[in-house]
Amino acid sequence: MAACRALNTTKGGWMHVHANVESAKDEQAAVTGESAAAVLPTCNRVLKPAWLNWSLQTCEQLKTFLTSATGNWLVDVKHVERVKSYAPHIDHLVADIHCIPSLDDGSPTFKHSAARPCHLRSFLFVFE
């Protein structure tokens, strides 16, 4: 987690995270078409639940590490992108995650940031 240690502890910064994410064979898109970009900023026409889950888990892991190392942080996924497919049902993804330190009450220490607590707007959808 050297990248986390490199973040400015006053203003925070951005993490650009890559990963290979496996999706189930029969997994349907969580959101398709133009509404995909409205849920979470992306250039993809499809957002799969596995991609959204990976984004949220990554966000939570970063928040846990940063909080244990230097105090409270607001961590927010701002963009998720499928870069390419490595194999059937394995996609290479990248997420842009904004991290800023926060006060004990959850407000950002760096006032002109629009960061929110760690969450994805896309999880307002119910996956069945």
Side-chain angles (χ1 to χ4, degrees):
M1 287 295 184
C4 289
R5 289 186 197 98
L7 287 172
N8 183 311
T9 57
T10 304
K11 296 182 180 179
W14 289 87
M15 303 289 275
H16 187 77
V17 183
H18 289 256
N20 294 328
V21 177
E22 186 173 352
S23 57
K25 261 186 201 182
D26 58 352
E27 183 175 64
Q28 298 297 314
V31 184
T32 60
E34 292 181 17
S35 61
V39 171
L40 181 68
T42 182
C43 293
N44 299 114
R45 304 273 306 158
V46 170
L47 287 174
K48 293 183 178 180
W51 302 354
L52 300 174
N53 289 335
W54 168 76
S55 300
L56 184 61
Q57 290 170 356
T58 301
C59 181
E60 288 296 336
Q61 289 171 346
L62 288 171
K63 183 175 181 170
T64 299
F65 182 84
L66 287 166
T67 299
S68 68
T70 60
N72 294 329
W73 284 76
L74 300 174
V75 181
D76 188 31
V77 177
K78 296 293 188 179
H79 185 90
V80 174
E81 197 73 35
R82 177 184 171 268
V83 177
K84 64 182 178 178
S85 175
Y86 274 125
H89 313 293
I90 299 177
D91 297 301
H92 183 76
L93 304 180
V94 63
D96 294 318
I97 302 174
H98 194 204
C99 308
I100 57 172
S102 69
L103 302 173
D104 289 337
D105 66 0
S107 61
T109 58
F110 190 55
K111 294 299 180 191
H112 66 296
S113 174
R116 300 178 311 267
C118 188
H119 72 284
L120 292 173
R121 288 169 282 165
S122 51
F123 279 89
L124 297 175
F125 291 89
V126 176
F127 305 115
E128 295 183 24

